[in-house]
Amino acid sequence: MKQDERLTVARALAKLESEESPYEKIFRHGSLHVEIYKPEREDPQTKHSLDEIYVVISGSGFFVRGDERQRFEDGEVIFVPAGAEHRFEEFSEDFATWVFFFGPEGGEQETWFI
């Protein structure tokens, strides 16, 4: 990867500002897709067919996954299996997150936490 192809928050947010969407695709390699996501007031997303990981860049609020609702904060890593209902709620104005989609359609089969 060249210097001018760096994946930085500043570059990703600048690219997002030029679009009329709350997300922007930033990078792809094989099954890995990296996006920046910054919704305003509401999170309109629906289920996805791939597993995903959010790495919260800034902000705080609540994250809903299925029947579970928990607080989140900047720097947090959140996993969502393929096909799971999920959304961010009551998030601060500065909320922004990286999104990493990966793996096969329908998701990986094994999940474990340390």
Side-chain angles (χ1 to χ4, degrees), residues 62-83:
F62 290 92
F63 184 73
V64 176
R65 179 180 40 226
D67 296 335
E68 188 182 339
R69 186 173 194 258
Q70 64 185 32
R71 287 198 157 283
F72 73 85
E73 60 188 43
D74 58 333
E76 190 159 344
V77 175
I78 301 169
F79 172 72
V80 179

PDB file of all heavy atoms in Angstrom, residues 62-83:
ATOM      1  N   PHE A  62     -26.008   3.610  22.448  1.00  0.00           N
ATOM      2  CA  PHE A  62     -26.434   2.237  22.712  1.00  0.00           C
ATOM      3  C   PHE A  62     -26.364   1.427  21.430  1.00  0.00           C
ATOM      4  O   PHE A  62     -26.638   1.947  20.345  1.00  0.00           O
ATOM      5  CB  PHE A  62     -27.871   2.198  23.249  1.00  0.00           C
ATOM      6  CG  PHE A  62     -27.991   2.755  24.632  1.00  0.00           C
ATOM      7  CD1 PHE A  62     -28.282   4.087  24.824  1.00  0.00           C
ATOM      8  CD2 PHE A  62     -27.801   1.939  25.742  1.00  0.00           C
ATOM      9  CE1 PHE A  62     -28.383   4.618  26.092  1.00  0.00           C
ATOM     10  CE2 PHE A  62     -27.896   2.460  27.015  1.00  0.00           C
ATOM     11  CZ  PHE A  62     -28.191   3.798  27.199  1.00  0.00           C
ATOM     12  N   PHE A  63     -26.021   0.148  21.569  1.00  0.00           N
ATOM     13  CA  PHE A  63     -25.991  -0.758  20.432  1.00  0.00           C
ATOM     14  C   PHE A  63     -26.973  -1.884  20.701  1.00  0.00           C
ATOM     15  O   PHE A  63     -26.958  -2.485  21.777  1.00  0.00           O
ATOM     16  CB  PHE A  63     -24.590  -1.334  20.206  1.00  0.00           C
ATOM     17  CG  PHE A  63     -24.512  -2.190  18.987  1.00  0.00           C
ATOM     18  CD1 PHE A  63     -24.529  -1.617  17.733  1.00  0.00           C
ATOM     19  CD2 PHE A  63     -24.454  -3.569  19.093  1.00  0.00           C
ATOM     20  CE1 PHE A  63     -24.479  -2.406  16.589  1.00  0.00           C
ATOM     21  CE2 PHE A  63     -24.404  -4.365  17.971  1.00  0.00           C
ATOM     22  CZ  PHE A  63     -24.414  -3.779  16.706  1.00  0.00           C
ATOM     23  N   VAL A  64     -27.835  -2.146  19.730  1.00  0.00           N
ATOM     24  CA  VAL A  64     -28.839  -3.211  19.841  1.00  0.00           C
ATOM     25  C   VAL A  64     -28.462  -4.321  18.868  1.00  0.00           C
ATOM     26  O   VAL A  64     -28.241  -4.072  17.682  1.00  0.00           O
ATOM     27  CB  VAL A  64     -30.250  -2.669  19.506  1.00  0.00           C
ATOM     28  CG1 VAL A  64     -31.264  -3.789  19.526  1.00  0.00           C
ATOM     29  CG2 VAL A  64     -30.641  -1.561  20.463  1.00  0.00           C
ATOM     30  N   ARG A  65     -28.386  -5.548  19.392  1.00  0.00           N
ATOM     31  CA  ARG A  65     -28.130  -6.747  18.589  1.00  0.00           C
ATOM     32  C   ARG A  65     -29.126  -7.781  19.061  1.00  0.00           C
ATOM     33  O   ARG A  65     -29.038  -8.268  20.193  1.00  0.00           O
ATOM     34  CB  ARG A  65     -26.696  -7.227  18.784  1.00  0.00           C
ATOM     35  CG  ARG A  65     -26.351  -8.473  17.997  1.00  0.00           C
ATOM     36  CD  ARG A  65     -24.911  -8.920  18.216  1.00  0.00           C
ATOM     37  NE  ARG A  65     -24.518  -8.768  19.601  1.00  0.00           N
ATOM     38  CZ  ARG A  65     -23.360  -8.229  20.002  1.00  0.00           C
ATOM     39  NH1 ARG A  65     -22.475  -7.797  19.138  1.00  0.00           N
ATOM     40  NH2 ARG A  65     -23.078  -8.116  21.281  1.00  0.00           N
ATOM     41  N   GLY A  66     -30.107  -8.084  18.215  1.00  0.00           N
ATOM     42  CA  GLY A  66     -31.165  -9.006  18.620  1.00  0.00           C
ATOM     43  C   GLY A  66     -31.929  -8.424  19.797  1.00  0.00           C
ATOM     44  O   GLY A  66     -32.380  -7.287  19.752  1.00  0.00           O
ATOM     45  N   ASP A  67     -32.045  -9.182  20.898  1.00  0.00           N
ATOM     46  CA  ASP A  67     -32.749  -8.735  22.101  1.00  0.00           C
ATOM     47  C   ASP A  67     -31.835  -8.014  23.088  1.00  0.00           C
ATOM     48  O   ASP A  67     -32.262  -7.600  24.150  1.00  0.00           O
ATOM     49  CB  ASP A  67     -33.366  -9.937  22.827  1.00  0.00           C
ATOM     50  CG  ASP A  67     -34.440 -10.622  22.004  1.00  0.00           C
ATOM     51  OD1 ASP A  67     -35.040  -9.948  21.135  1.00  0.00           O
ATOM     52  OD2 ASP A  67     -34.676 -11.824  22.214  1.00  0.00           O
ATOM     53  N   GLU A  68     -30.580  -7.889  22.735  1.00  0.00           N
ATOM     54  CA  GLU A  68     -29.559  -7.323  23.622  1.00  0.00           C
ATOM     55  C   GLU A  68     -29.369  -5.828  23.327  1.00  0.00           C
ATOM     56  O   GLU A  68     -29.283  -5.421  22.165  1.00  0.00           O
ATOM     57  CB  GLU A  68     -28.270  -8.085  23.301  1.00  0.00           C
ATOM     58  CG  GLU A  68     -27.104  -7.889  24.143  1.00  0.00           C
ATOM     59  CD  GLU A  68     -25.925  -8.721  23.608  1.00  0.00           C
ATOM     60  OE1 GLU A  68     -26.113  -9.699  22.868  1.00  0.00           O
ATOM     61  OE2 GLU A  68     -24.806  -8.333  23.943  1.00  0.00           O
ATOM     62  N   ARG A  69     -29.311  -5.001  24.367  1.00  0.00           N
ATOM     63  CA  ARG A  69     -29.050  -3.565  24.214  1.00  0.00           C
ATOM     64  C   ARG A  69     -27.977  -3.182  25.219  1.00  0.00           C
ATOM     65  O   ARG A  69     -28.134  -3.398  26.422  1.00  0.00           O
ATOM     66  CB  ARG A  69     -30.320  -2.756  24.469  1.00  0.00           C
ATOM     67  CG  ARG A  69     -30.168  -1.273  24.193  1.00  0.00           C
ATOM     68  CD  ARG A  69     -31.536  -0.579  24.322  1.00  0.00           C
ATOM     69  NE  ARG A  69     -31.540   0.744  23.766  1.00  0.00           N
ATOM     70  CZ  ARG A  69     -31.461   1.866  24.477  1.00  0.00           C
ATOM     71  NH1 ARG A  69     -31.364   1.823  25.800  1.00  0.00           N
ATOM     72  NH2 ARG A  69     -31.480   3.031  23.880  1.00  0.00           N
ATOM     73  N   GLN A  70     -26.882  -2.604  24.736  1.00  0.00           N
ATOM     74  CA  GLN A  70     -25.782  -2.252  25.635  1.00  0.00           C
ATOM     75  C   GLN A  70     -25.164  -0.925  25.228  1.00  0.00           C
ATOM     76  O   GLN A  70     -25.263  -0.506  24.085  1.00  0.00           O
ATOM     77  CB  GLN A  70     -24.713  -3.339  25.625  1.00  0.00           C
ATOM     78  CG  GLN A  70     -24.043  -3.511  24.270  1.00  0.00           C
ATOM     79  CD  GLN A  70     -23.076  -4.678  24.257  1.00  0.00           C
ATOM     80  OE1 GLN A  70     -23.266  -5.672  24.929  1.00  0.00           O
ATOM     81  NE2 GLN A  70     -22.024  -4.549  23.469  1.00  0.00           N
ATOM     82  N   ARG A  71     -24.524  -0.262  26.191  1.00  0.00           N
ATOM     83  CA  ARG A  71     -23.813   0.984  25.907  1.00  0.00           C
ATOM     84  C   ARG A  71     -22.596   0.683  25.047  1.00  0.00           C
ATOM     85  O   ARG A  71     -22.034  -0.409  25.109  1.00  0.00           O
ATOM     86  CB  ARG A  71     -23.326   1.626  27.208  1.00  0.00           C
ATOM     87  CG  ARG A  71     -24.427   2.241  28.014  1.00  0.00           C
ATOM     88  CD  ARG A  71     -23.829   3.233  29.024  1.00  0.00           C
ATOM     89  NE  ARG A  71     -24.810   4.208  29.422  1.00  0.00           N
ATOM     90  CZ  ARG A  71     -25.206   5.255  28.698  1.00  0.00           C
ATOM     91  NH1 ARG A  71     -24.680   5.477  27.531  1.00  0.00           N
ATOM     92  NH2 ARG A  71     -26.111   6.085  29.138  1.00  0.00           N
ATOM     93  N   PHE A  72     -22.179   1.667  24.252  1.00  0.00           N
ATOM     94  CA  PHE A  72     -20.907   1.569  23.538  1.00  0.00           C
ATOM     95  C   PHE A  72     -20.182   2.902  23.681  1.00  0.00           C
ATOM     96  O   PHE A  72     -20.791   3.922  24.002  1.00  0.00           O
ATOM     97  CB  PHE A  72     -21.097   1.190  22.063  1.00  0.00           C
ATOM     98  CG  PHE A  72     -21.643   2.300  21.207  1.00  0.00           C
ATOM     99  CD1 PHE A  72     -20.799   3.252  20.641  1.00  0.00           C
ATOM    100  CD2 PHE A  72     -22.999   2.401  20.958  1.00  0.00           C
ATOM    101  CE1 PHE A  72     -21.303   4.273  19.848  1.00  0.00           C
ATOM    102  CE2 PHE A  72     -23.516   3.417  20.168  1.00  0.00           C
ATOM    103  CZ  PHE A  72     -22.660   4.354  19.613  1.00  0.00           C
ATOM    104  N   GLU A  73     -18.876   2.865  23.464  1.00  0.00           N
ATOM    105  CA  GLU A  73     -18.047   4.072  23.574  1.00  0.00           C
ATOM    106  C   GLU A  73     -16.952   4.035  22.516  1.00  0.00           C
ATOM    107  O   GLU A  73     -16.733   2.987  21.884  1.00  0.00           O
ATOM    108  CB  GLU A  73     -17.424   4.160  24.961  1.00  0.00           C
ATOM    109  CG  GLU A  73     -16.537   2.985  25.280  1.00  0.00           C
ATOM    110  CD  GLU A  73     -16.067   2.980  26.726  1.00  0.00           C
ATOM    111  OE1 GLU A  73     -16.878   3.247  27.630  1.00  0.00           O
ATOM    112  OE2 GLU A  73     -14.875   2.702  26.928  1.00  0.00           O
ATOM    113  N   ASP A  74     -16.269   5.166  22.340  1.00  0.00           N
ATOM    114  CA  ASP A  74     -15.214   5.210  21.334  1.00  0.00           C
ATOM    115  C   ASP A  74     -14.122   4.206  21.660  1.00  0.00           C
ATOM    116  O   ASP A  74     -13.823   3.935  22.807  1.00  0.00           O
ATOM    117  CB  ASP A  74     -14.660   6.627  21.160  1.00  0.00           C
ATOM    118  CG  ASP A  74     -14.099   7.235  22.427  1.00  0.00           C
ATOM    119  OD1 ASP A  74     -14.531   6.859  23.526  1.00  0.00           O
ATOM    120  OD2 ASP A  74     -13.220   8.095  22.301  1.00  0.00           O
ATOM    121  N   GLY A  75     -13.599   3.614  20.598  1.00  0.00           N
ATOM    122  CA  GLY A  75     -12.568   2.592  20.740  1.00  0.00           C
ATOM    123  C   GLY A  75     -13.111   1.186  20.880  1.00  0.00           C
ATOM    124  O   GLY A  75     -12.359   0.225  20.790  1.00  0.00           O
ATOM    125  N   GLU A  76     -14.404   1.040  21.063  1.00  0.00           N
ATOM    126  CA  GLU A  76     -14.998  -0.287  21.287  1.00  0.00           C
ATOM    127  C   GLU A  76     -15.076  -1.085  19.986  1.00  0.00           C
ATOM    128  O   GLU A  76     -15.289  -0.549  18.908  1.00  0.00           O
ATOM    129  CB  GLU A  76     -16.394  -0.129  21.877  1.00  0.00           C
ATOM    130  CG  GLU A  76     -16.978  -1.425  22.366  1.00  0.00           C
ATOM    131  CD  GLU A  76     -18.102  -1.217  23.385  1.00  0.00           C
ATOM    132  OE1 GLU A  76     -18.235  -0.113  23.941  1.00  0.00           O
ATOM    133  OE2 GLU A  76     -18.833  -2.182  23.603  1.00  0.00           O
ATOM    134  N   VAL A  77     -14.917  -2.410  20.110  1.00  0.00           N
ATOM    135  CA  VAL A  77     -15.056  -3.351  19.001  1.00  0.00           C
ATOM    136  C   VAL A  77     -16.345  -4.126  19.213  1.00  0.00           C
ATOM    137  O   VAL A  77     -16.565  -4.684  20.288  1.00  0.00           O
ATOM    138  CB  VAL A  77     -13.854  -4.320  18.942  1.00  0.00           C
ATOM    139  CG1 VAL A  77     -14.054  -5.368  17.863  1.00  0.00           C
ATOM    140  CG2 VAL A  77     -12.556  -3.555  18.744  1.00  0.00           C
ATOM    141  N   ILE A  78     -17.208  -4.149  18.181  1.00  0.00           N
ATOM    142  CA  ILE A  78     -18.511  -4.807  18.276  1.00  0.00           C
ATOM    143  C   ILE A  78     -18.639  -5.796  17.127  1.00  0.00           C
ATOM    144  O   ILE A  78     -18.491  -5.424  15.954  1.00  0.00           O
ATOM    145  CB  ILE A  78     -19.655  -3.775  18.199  1.00  0.00           C
ATOM    146  CG1 ILE A  78     -19.529  -2.747  19.317  1.00  0.00           C
ATOM    147  CG2 ILE A  78     -21.014  -4.473  18.232  1.00  0.00           C
ATOM    148  CD1 ILE A  78     -20.450  -1.546  19.160  1.00  0.00           C
ATOM    149  N   PHE A  79     -18.933  -7.048  17.444  1.00  0.00           N
ATOM    150  CA  PHE A  79     -19.115  -8.091  16.430  1.00  0.00           C
ATOM    151  C   PHE A  79     -20.598  -8.320  16.174  1.00  0.00           C
ATOM    152  O   PHE A  79     -21.396  -8.366  17.110  1.00  0.00           O
ATOM    153  CB  PHE A  79     -18.473  -9.407  16.889  1.00  0.00           C
ATOM    154  CG  PHE A  79     -18.800 -10.561  15.980  1.00  0.00           C
ATOM    155  CD1 PHE A  79     -18.233 -10.641  14.715  1.00  0.00           C
ATOM    156  CD2 PHE A  79     -19.692 -11.542  16.384  1.00  0.00           C
ATOM    157  CE1 PHE A  79     -18.548 -11.702  13.866  1.00  0.00           C
ATOM    158  CE2 PHE A  79     -20.009 -12.604  15.540  1.00  0.00           C
ATOM    159  CZ  PHE A  79     -19.432 -12.682  14.283  1.00  0.00           C
ATOM    160  N   VAL A  80     -20.953  -8.484  14.905  1.00  0.00           N
ATOM    161  CA  VAL A  80     -22.325  -8.803  14.519  1.00  0.00           C
ATOM    162  C   VAL A  80     -22.281  -9.964  13.530  1.00  0.00           C
ATOM    163  O   VAL A  80     -21.693  -9.834  12.447  1.00  0.00           O
ATOM    164  CB  VAL A  80     -23.039  -7.605  13.861  1.00  0.00           C
ATOM    165  CG1 VAL A  80     -24.457  -7.979  13.457  1.00  0.00           C
ATOM    166  CG2 VAL A  80     -23.044  -6.407  14.790  1.00  0.00           C
ATOM    167  N   PRO A  81     -22.884 -11.102  13.884  1.00  0.00           N
ATOM    168  CA  PRO A  81     -22.898 -12.220  12.929  1.00  0.00           C
ATOM    169  C   PRO A  81     -23.828 -11.928  11.751  1.00  0.00           C
ATOM    170  O   PRO A  81     -24.790 -11.161  11.878  1.00  0.00           O
ATOM    171  CB  PRO A  81     -23.412 -13.390  13.768  1.00  0.00           C
ATOM    172  CG  PRO A  81     -24.167 -12.777  14.889  1.00  0.00           C
ATOM    173  CD  PRO A  81     -23.535 -11.439  15.143  1.00  0.00           C
ATOM    174  N   ALA A  82     -23.528 -12.525  10.630  1.00  0.00           N
ATOM    175  CA  ALA A  82     -24.354 -12.360   9.431  1.00  0.00           C
ATOM    176  C   ALA A  82     -25.812 -12.664   9.758  1.00  0.00           C
ATOM    177  O   ALA A  82     -26.114 -13.604  10.487  1.00  0.00           O
ATOM    178  CB  ALA A  82     -23.859 -13.297   8.331  1.00  0.00           C
ATOM    179  N   GLY A  83     -26.706 -11.839   9.245  1.00  0.00           N
ATOM    180  CA  GLY A  83     -28.141 -12.061   9.405  1.00  0.00           C
ATOM    181  C   GLY A  83     -28.744 -11.555  10.697  1.00  0.00           C
ATOM    182  O   GLY A  83     -29.955 -11.671  10.891  1.00  0.00           O
TER     183      GLY A  83
END
